[in-house]
Amino acid sequence: MPVDHAKSSDEPLLVDLALQGGGSHGAFTWGVLDRLLEEENVTLEAISGTSAGAMNAAVLAHGLLIGGKEGARDALFQFWRRVADAAMFSPFQRTPLDRMVGRWSLDYSPAYLATDIIARLISPYAFGATGTNPLRDILTDLVDFDRLATGRFKLFITCTNVRTGRGRVFRNPDITAEVLLASACLPTMFQAVHIDGEPYWDGGFSGNPTMAPLVRECDSHDTILVQINPILREETPTTAQEINNRVNEVSFNATLLKELKMMALLHKIADKDDGEGWQWGQLRLHLIKSDLLATLGASSKLNAEWEFLTMLRDEGRRAADEFVRLHRKDIGVRSTLDIDSLLEGV
């Protein structure tokens, strides 16, 4: 097992990233990544991402390949700026009252309310072929997928196979703009994305994100999980919006929690296992999250105003800065997330 001693701040640290999805809340992850890229001695080996986390992962990896850490920071900025520019023409806008009182949700947006009702009654297939997703053009313009295919940064992008209900993890050679769109395909809003003849939905149903490849296929023993969807809420939801929001959070955290519990069990038997249990037992897990995200409702995940995205980015930078200040010396030494506590009540 690793020796428990502090690492020098000058010693290179090899890390992996696990990035959750969550619509425009992925701008929080943008901020986290922007801050972590300022750490000169942190070297990135791999990223597992789902939905918005998948897009952050691909854009980050592309930026690192073409321009190092500054190239990655610029690529992430360009991606989210383009998302905000495209959203200027979206019907999903806050009401004047929401803007006046500083409320970020779309709970009172006529277009959002109408779409929410329609999505419960009418399939996205009822309208025939859909138009071009603006994210496809943004991703195609900003990411060189041919270069990613042979790049040194390992990418693991999760999508959910509609036919089998199982997750599929796409790796560098197979990642395209269509794969990233499939990883973010909400079935009540979009038609399934077909890849190799198979229909796919949002990867959050089967892995948000998938952790196993980071353990089995990487040299790094340190994984930083960037959490978008709150796991714990103290109060019971009572309004329709609160209930819908909590159902969304529980659904998209379920597979991650199951995987973390498996990791915790393997961690306990690591000393007695010379095989894969030992490998899982070496994992050191770290978490970056923000209580602010727990105050934002599900509808705000469709709010892509630049002001909102940059607010989330700044919060992500703040959370990452706090993590670096408190736990920088723990990377390479010990976990800072107690996954054993997840076994309580199991």
Side-chain angles (χ1 to χ4, degrees):
M1 297 295 288
V3 177
D4 190 17
H5 63 82
K7 288 228 173 187
S8 166
S9 60
D10 296 327
E11 193 172 345
L13 300 170
L14 189 64
V15 302
D16 300 328
L17 299 175
L19 310 181
Q20 279 199 318
S24 62
H25 290 189
F28 170 80
T29 302
W30 165 30
V32 170
L33 299 175
D34 190 69
R35 173 61 184 87
L36 293 180
L37 287 166
E38 294 178 353
E39 293 298 303
E40 294 182 1
N41 298 310
V42 173
T43 300
L44 179 64
E45 180 187 10
I47 315 173
S48 178
T50 297
S51 193
M55 297 185 189
N56 274 319
V59 172
L60 170 65
H62 166 81
L64 286 169
L65 288 171
I66 65 171
K69 291 186 176 182
E70 285 305 312
R73 295 181 70 192
D74 181 65
L76 286 165
F77 178 91
Q78 294 299 329
F79 171 76
W80 287 102
R81 177 73 260 188
R82 291 278 299 270
V83 168
D85 289 345
M88 293 175 62
F89 305 100
S90 168
F92 299 126
Q93 302 289 338
R94 288 185 295 161
T95 66
L97 179 59
D98 288 330
R99 296 175 187 274
M100 185 182 303
V101 300
R103 187 164 48 212
W104 296 111
S105 75
L106 301 178
D107 289 347
Y108 302 101
S109 163
Y112 174 80
L113 291 171
T115 301
D116 186 51
I117 294 172
I118 291 172
R120 298 170 191 271
L121 302 173
I122 303 176
S123 159
Y125 291 87
F127 304 102
T130 57
T132 301
N133 188 327
L135 282 175
R136 180 181 288 105
D137 294 334
I138 294 172
L139 292 167
T140 301
D141 289 345
L142 293 182
V143 179
D144 185 340
F145 290 98
D146 290 333
R147 193 162 183 173
L148 279 188
T150 57
R152 64 185 182 275
F153 304 104
K154 299 174 184 176
L155 293 178
F156 306 105
I157 306 301
T158 302
C159 304
T160 302
N161 186 304
V162 179
R163 186 177 59 84
T164 66
R166 298 175 61 185
R168 175 179 172 183
V169 178
F170 291 83
R171 291 160 175 80
N172 293 54
D174 300 317
I175 295 173
T176 63
E178 293 303 307
V179 168
L180 299 180
L181 292 175
S183 186
C185 178
L186 292 173
T188 57
M189 296 185 66
F190 303 104
Q191 295 182 11
V193 178
H194 284 76
I195 302 170
D196 300 330
E198 292 283 351
Y200 288 94
W201 283 342
D202 195 298
F205 296 117
S206 53
N208 193 21
T210 302
M211 304 291 288
L214 298 176
V215 180
R216 293 172 175 164
E217 302 177 36
C218 300
D219 295 324
S220 169
H221 295 312
D222 286 86
T223 295
I224 300 174
L225 170 63
V226 182
Q227 180 182 310
I228 296 293
N229 300 293
I231 292 175
L232 178 66
R233 283 191 182 272
E234 297 296 342
E235 297 182 0
T236 302
T238 55
T239 69
Q241 289 91 348
E242 290 172 348
I243 293 170
N244 180 58
N245 182 46
R246 191 54 182 158
V247 167
N248 179 285
E249 291 171 349
V250 170
S251 299
F252 282 94
N253 277 328
T255 52
L256 173 64
L257 285 173
K258 183 177 180 180
E259 203 166 7
L260 290 176
K261 288 178 180 178
M262 179 188 70
M263 291 164 61
L265 285 168
L266 288 172
H267 210 276
K268 284 187 174 297
I269 65 172
D271 290 336
K272 304 176 183 178
D273 191 341
D274 294 328
E276 187 174 341
W278 180 87
Q279 186 180 14
W280 283 81
Q282 304 308 298
L283 178 67
R284 294 180 289 267
L285 195 59
H286 313 278
L287 177 68
I288 298 179
K289 65 174 185 175
S290 169
D291 292 337
L292 173 66
L293 294 177
T295 69
L296 302 173
S299 67
S300 66
K301 292 180 179 180
L302 295 177
N303 181 355
E305 297 173 51
W306 183 242
E307 184 182 2
F308 183 49
L309 299 182
T310 53
M311 183 277 290
L312 289 171
R313 176 203 60 192
D314 293 344
E315 177 62 14
R317 281 190 56 86
R318 184 206 63 76
D321 191 67
E322 181 180 19
F323 170 81
V324 169
R325 178 174 56 84
L326 295 175
H327 300 300
R328 168 64 175 73
K329 293 183 179 179
D330 293 316
I331 298 177
V333 178
R334 64 180 70 84
S335 289
T336 56
L337 175 62
D338 180 17
I339 60 174
D340 290 337
S341 63
L342 296 173
L343 293 175
E344 296 177 3
V346 175

